[in-house]
Amino acid sequence: QVQLVESGGGLVQPGGSLKLNCEVSGSTFGIYVMDWWRQVPEKPREFVAGISSGGSTKYADSVEDRFIIFRDRNGLYLEMNKVKPEDTAVYYCHAKSGVSATDSWGQGTQVTVSS
């Protein structure tokens, strides 16, 4: 099993920056994709950015050129730049691992973009 714990959320002004962290533990050797998702009340969870075990990245159009996803042996990170009010959401870390493609989720961290 994989355990994920997010941190780094908070209040940030429009145009500012914030870095989210996702600490990874457990059976990490089997992880082949990690990504960030976000959700606002009464809307489906949406994909933000993902990174494969080989380092290939993918971004949602809404965050392309503003957010950067990266990972190391300790965890997953999301550098958020030039944030907008519409980036306000609970951000979740997600991992897919093992031959059964098991999904693991963190508990989420709130990001609020407001002046």
Side-chain angles (χ1 to χ4, degrees):
Q1 289 186 344
V2 174
Q3 291 81 45
L4 306 172
V5 179
E6 301 96 334
S7 62
L11 176 64
V12 58
Q13 292 188 343
S17 298
L18 198 65
K19 181 184 173 186
L20 303 184
N21 311 296
C22 175
E23 180 180 344
V24 184
S25 60
S27 302
T28 61
F29 63 89
I31 294 175
Y32 51 90
V33 171
M34 293 196 73
D35 36 48
W36 289 96
W37 293 67
R38 65 187 182 188
Q39 188 171 25
V40 296
E42 301 182 348
K43 288 192 175 181
R45 195 169 293 187
E46 66 171 2
F47 172 81
V48 176
I51 185 167
S52 71
S53 57
S56 299
T57 58
K58 182 177 180 180
Y59 296 91
D61 290 342
S62 59
V63 306
E64 185 83 58
D65 297 327
R66 297 190 298 120
F67 291 8
I68 301 173
I69 187 171
F70 56 101
R71 63 192 286 186
D72 62 20
R73 65 178 62 188
N74 297 318
L76 180 71
Y77 311 92
L78 185 68
E79 186 177 296
M80 305 170 62
N81 302 303
K82 301 178 182 177
V83 296
K84 305 175 181 180
E86 51 264 44
D87 294 322
T88 295
V90 177
Y91 284 71
Y92 295 91
C93 178
H94 167 259
K96 193 173 286 288
S97 61
V99 295
S100 301
T102 301
D103 291 301
S104 300
W105 293 92
Q107 82 290 348
T109 185
Q110 175 71 48
V111 173
T112 302
V113 182
S114 175
S115 55

